[in-house]
Amino acid sequence: MADAAITVEGAEKRYGDKKALDGLDLRVARGTVHGVLGPNGAGKTTLVRVLSTLLRPDAGRIEVAGHDVLGQAYEVRLRIGLLGQHAALDEELGGRQNLELFGRLHHLGAKRARARADELLERFDLADTGRKAVRQYSGGMRRRLDLAASLITEPEVLFLDEPTTGLDPRGRAEVWDSVRSLVGGGTTVLLTTQYLEEADQLADRISVVDTGRVIAEGTADELKARIGGDHIDVVLRHAGQLGAAVALLPLTGVTVDADRRLLSAPVTDRMEALSGVVRALQESGIEAEDIALRRPTLDEVFLHLTGDDHRVKEAV
Amino acid sequence: MTAYALTDAWTMTRRELSRWGRQPVQLVVNLVFPVMLLLMFGYLVGGGRGVSGEYRDYLIPGMLALTMAFGLEGTMLAVTQDLNKGVIDRFRSMPMANGAVLVGRSAADMLQSAMALVVLIGVGAALGWRVHGGAAAFLGAVGLLLLFRFAMLWIGIHLALVAGKPEMVQAVQILVWPVGFLSNALALPDTMPGWLGTVVEWNPMSHTATAVRDLFGVPGAESGHVWPAVIWPLALLAVFFPLAVRRFGRLSR
């Protein structure tokens, strides 16, 4: 792929015995939004830190915007923007002061740094609050300013490491809108997230990462097709009837959580599954406390993709 | 990249100056705190065991040295905050000169310490304290104090990079006090139990305080401590400057 903005081949990073990156491969086409989806500790942040030259990989070939992250770190830094997990701002300074500071450090010169700060404050709807200390900003405002700070030089490649973790729904929506507005400007975006929905909303393609490796890759639709559709949860009144229910109910691939008296199973047709379960319960006299249809959880996505049963049961 | 080394260092220094502008109260508190200590020990606690002549003449150089030592806390706190806020990560992901983060920190902290010296000396003068040495000796004394502060600064940077957590700053803040007081800043080592007096005489800060007393022409001041007051900070710098720079580079490990 000649037109790759990010190329990662066999990236490895070890911390003592723990392999944070274990032969990770990734290619991101120029001008696209790529989601990296995975649970805590999957290696997402390590990947972003390696790509943004903050961390030296132990092995692998890693190129960002056409430059090697090890040998040409300076060239890479000229072309990237980074939004880390926590807002990387000077809390004591105002919003405008922060942007001017980062502009100067990008060597824009005093005048252009000031103009760029004004432009970005305007664009991220922060013009009124530019003088206020960042300490007094709301979570969503802080994140938008942080995003503005990572766009000072209109980077070729932008890294967003869990951009909405810890934000309330409104803050999340604000950040999503900002990210969407970037796309089309030609910027390549690599976004890490724990939320299936977020990757779904924003990313053209998604890499699912676990234990330092990519375990699945594709568009959101492709992945969903592999993960399967909805699930049905049935909570019984008596734990003693769990075995009988598994045998009787018209479901396949049932998992049982005895402590919560819970049966779960993937379903293809929501209505058919629901009416089938209700009918079977009535006929057999097994008492249910609750029946619910729901989207698969991220745990189930990983169960499906890794086939790693016991780990998910622990999580459930 | 190196072409921007000075520009970037200046930008980083200006960042600190802007912070003072945003939080003038904090700056004033930092500058007034040593004055409070001076008044407390000079008038409230009083005394100065075994000191011949005016205790004030003995105390002020000690307080100047103590203020330089306490600067370590401020440096460590600021670097720790930057590390934990992720600001240093942003700096490191930018095409700026690598050293500017630490150079900016040094310049701003040295400036603040110089201001603290001016304030403390000014208050001392207002209290009737006079320097008896010449102008050159006076400047030499100020130079020794700032050299000592510079050594404390790099110890502070190193501790922040090693410990990295706000809780550790608290621990160091608590420890700096006894280490600061285990010197001849407030009282003569002769008046202390033998072993304690020995510890106190070994404290690098004691050499700085004694040398400053000597250069200020404080009556009865011991001479011969100027060289130790130069060599000790330089030795500390020779250890902690490379350690801190190496630690900073190791952030990418």
Side-chain angles (χ1 to χ4, degrees), chain A residues 13 49 52 54-56 74 77-78 82 87-94 97 101-102 104-107 131-133 135 146 149-150, chain B residues 1 4 7-8 11-12 14-16 18-19 22-23 82 84-98 251-253:
Chain A
K13 181 72 191 175
R49 292 179 68 82
S52 54
L54 292 179
L55 212 54
R56 297 174 68 88
Y74 179 75
R77 288 173 190 161
L78 283 173
L82 170 65
L89 300 162
D90 189 322
E91 300 268 317
E92 306 308 332
L93 297 183
Q97 282 177 315
L101 167 69
F102 295 125
R104 281 165 181 272
L105 292 173
H106 270 292
H107 310 125
R131 294 176 65 85
K132 214 154 93 168
R135 201 160 19 90
D146 203 20
S150 55
Chain B
M1 187 148 70
Y4 289 110
T7 323
D8 290 347
T11 304
M12 292 305 291
R14 276 186 40 157
R15 170 195 172 209
E16 295 303 321
S18 313
R19 286 166 71 104
R22 300 287 307 203
Q23 294 201 296
D82 273 358
N84 284 285
K85 288 266 183 277
V87 189
I88 287 191
D89 277 349
R90 187 184 292 290
F91 291 143
R92 289 174 56 234
S93 75
M94 290 171 55
M96 59 182 281
N98 285 327
L251 289 175
S252 63
R253 289 279 180 99

Side-chain angles (χ1 to χ4, degrees), chain B residues 117-134:
Chain B
L117 288 183
V118 168
V119 169
L120 209 49
I121 290 172
V123 170
L127 294 174
W129 172 67
R130 292 293 175 268
V131 173
H132 304 290

Side-chain angles (χ1 to χ4, degrees), chain B residues 35 38-39 42-43 54 56-57 59-60 120-130:
Chain B
V35 173
L38 172 68
L39 297 178
Y43 295 92
E54 239 350 290
R56 187 184 57 203
D57 288 350
L59 180 64
I60 288 175
L120 209 49
I121 290 172
V123 170
L127 294 174
W129 172 67
R130 292 293 175 268

Side-chain angles (χ1 to χ4, degrees), chain B residues 189 192-203:
Chain B
M192 304 169 190
W195 61 274
L196 192 63
T198 310
V199 171
V200 161
E201 280 176 359
W202 268 93
N203 189 336

